[in-house]
Amino acid sequence: MIEFFKKAFADMKESAKAQHEVDKANMAATKAESKAQWEEAKAMRDPEKRKALMQRDRDEQIAQANKRKQGAEARINFTKGNK
């Protein structure tokens, strides 16, 4: 019976340590994202940087749209039997 409790508490301790590592990683990621948002907000004051950021966003949107278009065309070709 005592061994059961020792094992149970050891498992809980190990689980708590693992969860702490996950929490630390999530906190670091949140902190980095917050800093990135702050830096982007500061950069928006400069017209040249604002234009560059906006162009980057537009380029990302175009790339995503092209990827979706290619996927749709592949599905169309597969459906028609052209492969």
Side-chain angles (χ1 to χ4, degrees), residues 25-43:
N26 283 332
M27 181 59 127
T30 301
K31 186 176 178 182
E33 289 170 345
S34 178
K35 177 139 177 109
Q37 288 175 341
W38 170 252
E39 293 298 328
E40 285 177 341
K42 282 186 356 184

Side-chain angles (χ1 to χ4, degrees), residues 13-69:
K13 182 178 178 181
E14 184 179 314
S15 179
K17 283 183 180 181
Q19 185 61 45
H20 180 68
E21 291 300 317
V22 170
D23 292 343
K24 281 177 27 180
N26 283 332
M27 181 59 127
T30 301
K31 186 176 178 182
E33 289 170 345
S34 178
K35 177 139 177 109
Q37 288 175 341
W38 170 252
E39 293 298 328
E40 285 177 341
K42 282 186 356 184
M44 291 303 258
R45 290 184 280 178
D46 181 12
E48 292 302 316
K49 287 182 181 179
R50 182 175 56 242
K51 287 166 82 175
L53 288 172
M54 292 174 75
Q55 185 61 45
R56 182 196 68 191
D57 291 342
R58 287 190 295 265
D59 291 342
E60 288 175 4
Q61 290 174 356
I62 290 169
Q64 289 173 358
N66 287 336
K67 186 176 179 182
R68 289 182 15 232
K69 181 181 171 188

